[in-house]
Amino acid sequence: MSPLAKTTERIPASVQASSVRRIWTAAWTITSVFVLSNSATPLYVRWQAEMGFSSGTLTLIFAAYIAGLLGTLLFAGRLSDRYGRKPVLFPGLAAAVIACFLFVSASTVAALLLARLLSGIAVGVIVSAGMASVMDVGGAARRTTASLAASVAMVLGAGLGPLLSGVLTETLADPIVAVYGAQLVILASAFIAVGSLPLPRYAPAGDGGRRLQLPSVPERNRRHLAFGIAVFAPGITATSFVLSLGPSLFSKLLGATSPLVSGGTACIMFLTATGIQFVLKKLPVRTLLLLGALATLLSMACTAAAVYASAVVPLVLAAMLAGAGQGLGQLGGLTLIGLHVPENRRAEANAVLNMGGYIPAALLSVGTGYLTDFAGLAPGATVFAAVLAAVSVGAMLAIGAKREFD
């Protein structure tokens, strides 16, 4: 019997149950912010028609979110590891609240850019301090459960946001107030959840607490992060493509103009990412990563097929496979962090993992947006699919050559 199993056996059942409840309470804060992160997806076509901006500008608005996220990841992890989770989480939730009010009142592209920037800041806090808080309350005995909860919470929120927005946009003449009013209620519950958690404060590692540095991980853990990023990055880039240009593909190429179609597809994409993690959670990390890379590769094949056949079904299938790729890459990466990275460096490690994923997601999505303005939607989507397919194949080859992840 493993030492971890022996430790779990010595914990009273009531304490174990309390630990599991706290894990999912902490995970709810992640879900609440990720609901906001993609709630704008079904509304993009509406804003685009009202304000008259191009596909390139649309991907730039999406990239503003990633810019806010990446900028926050530069310091949120270290601040969280130094001063504790709550002093970082509360300002992140406050940024999400301000973003909601900006979305409601937006009448210009600049307002949308600022709202998305603040949404990215909130998500940057959540994927570093928020995910670390889930691992904190799980403790050593429940690292695997905590990794699963953190990963599932992210993709579940990312899926629920566009579904909620799509339903309200389809049924209400003026859905924006309803969408972000509901989001404010969800965020209020997140404030309560964070306040109820017994989150520890760790002593700063490495710099003695004197100064902030770029997020990093111990040298012995860099290969763990590299394998996670190799699969997570193509997966989240694929889902970012669906979120940013998916509505345009549905409306311009496939003739599906209902916001419920794009919102529902995004929801299915992230529900797939959620479900596949529960189904495959007991597989070895190496297998999870290989399957994640394969799913992203197949997603790109379906994307190309959808574009040239002008068919909705292959595009929906592409979205589902993209969700599976992101979900498995994310679960594999977070599991490696939970098992190998010291607890007082986990927020930083989460930041590094997400920076490694979101940077290519931003660059490729924006580049594809402007390429579609120049060459057309079909060529732009084809180039995107080819690049991401090549990266996925490279990840599979690299992980396949590595037999152990200890």
Side-chain angles (χ1 to χ4, degrees):
M1 183 178 292
S2 69
L4 183 59
K6 292 179 181 178
T7 300
T8 303
E9 284 185 354
R10 289 196 298 268
I11 301 175
S14 61
V15 176
Q16 292 187 41
S18 175
S19 177
V20 171
R21 284 196 298 271
R22 286 174 174 174
I23 287 172
W24 290 103
T25 298
W28 171 247
T29 65
I30 299 172
T31 300
S32 67
V33 173
F34 270 92
V35 170
L36 172 66
S37 70
N38 294 329
S39 61
T41 297
L43 298 169
Y44 282 143
V45 173
R46 181 189 185 96
W47 281 319
Q48 194 170 18
E50 291 177 352
M51 301 178 195
F53 51 80
S54 67
S55 294
T57 301
L58 178 59
T59 54
L60 195 62
I61 292 171
F62 182 81
Y65 160 80
I66 297 181
L69 189 155
L70 292 175
T72 304
L73 289 177
L74 292 176
F75 60 84
R78 278 189 175 267
L79 287 175
S80 172
D81 286 338
R82 176 183 298 179
Y83 298 112
R85 312 303 184 206
K86 291 184 182 181
V88 177
L89 286 171
F90 282 127
L93 292 174
V97 169
I98 297 171
C100 288
F101 286 108
L102 284 170
F103 277 124
V104 169
S105 60
S107 59
T108 64
V109 171
L112 291 178
L113 285 169
L114 182 56
R116 289 295 286 166
L117 181 71
L118 287 170
S119 300
I121 290 171
V123 170
V125 166
I126 284 298
V127 298
S128 52
M131 288 187 170
S133 71
V134 178
M135 300 300 298
D136 288 343
V137 298
R142 294 193 177 275
R143 290 177 180 174
T144 302
T145 301
S147 297
L148 177 66
S151 186
V152 164
M154 175 178 170
V155 292
L156 180 61
L160 291 177
L163 178 63
L164 172 66
S165 181
V167 169
L168 293 176
T169 302
E170 183 72 16
T171 56
L172 299 177
D174 187 11
I176 297 175
V177 173
V179 169
Y180 291 104
Q183 178 65 57
L184 287 172
V185 174
I186 294 171
L187 290 171
S189 70
F191 274 99
I192 295 172
V194 171
S196 71
L197 292 173
L199 297 174
R201 173 180 171 179
Y202 295 115
D207 63 359
R210 291 185 296 272
R211 61 190 176 92
L212 289 175
Q213 298 174 329
L214 293 178
S216 63
V217 293
E219 185 174 354
R220 65 182 180 277
N221 299 128
R222 289 174 187 170
R223 60 193 178 92
H224 300 126
L225 268 295
F227 285 122
I229 290 170
V231 179
F232 176 57
I236 200 168
T237 302
T239 58
S240 296
F241 173 80
V242 174
L243 292 170
S244 59
L245 287 178
S248 295
L249 277 172
F250 279 117
S251 64
K252 295 180 180 179
L253 190 62
L254 307 179
T257 58
S258 170
L260 192 56
V261 173
S262 58
T265 300
C267 180
I268 292 171
M269 176 172 70
F270 287 113
L271 288 180
T272 302
T274 303
I276 201 165
Q277 292 181 66
F278 280 110
V279 172
L280 303 181
K281 63 183 179 181
K282 294 185 179 180
L283 292 179
V285 175
R286 178 173 175 271
T287 304
L288 291 174
L289 294 176
L290 285 172
L291 289 175
L294 177 61
T296 303
L297 175 62
L298 294 175
S299 172
M300 294 302 98
C302 289
T303 298
V307 167
Y308 286 100
S310 295
V312 173
V313 173
L315 187 58
V316 173
L317 184 58
M320 294 174 66
L321 287 165
Q326 177 184 333
L328 292 175
Q330 182 175 291
L331 178 59
L334 289 174
T335 300
L336 288 173
I337 289 172
L339 292 176
H340 301 289
V341 177
E343 58 188 10
N344 65 334
R345 302 294 297 276
R346 283 182 192 149
E348 276 191 87
N350 290 335
V352 172
L353 176 67
N354 282 278
M355 288 177 70
Y358 278 103
I359 288 174
L363 295 176
L364 281 175
S365 294
V366 172
T368 302
Y370 281 102
L371 181 59
T372 60
D373 285 341
F374 176 75
L377 203 52
T382 302
V383 171
F384 175 87
V387 171
L388 216 56
V391 173
S392 298
V393 170
M396 292 175 67
L397 293 175
I399 293 167
K402 181 68 177 178
R403 296 293 176 179
E404 300 294 336
F405 286 83
D406 56 3

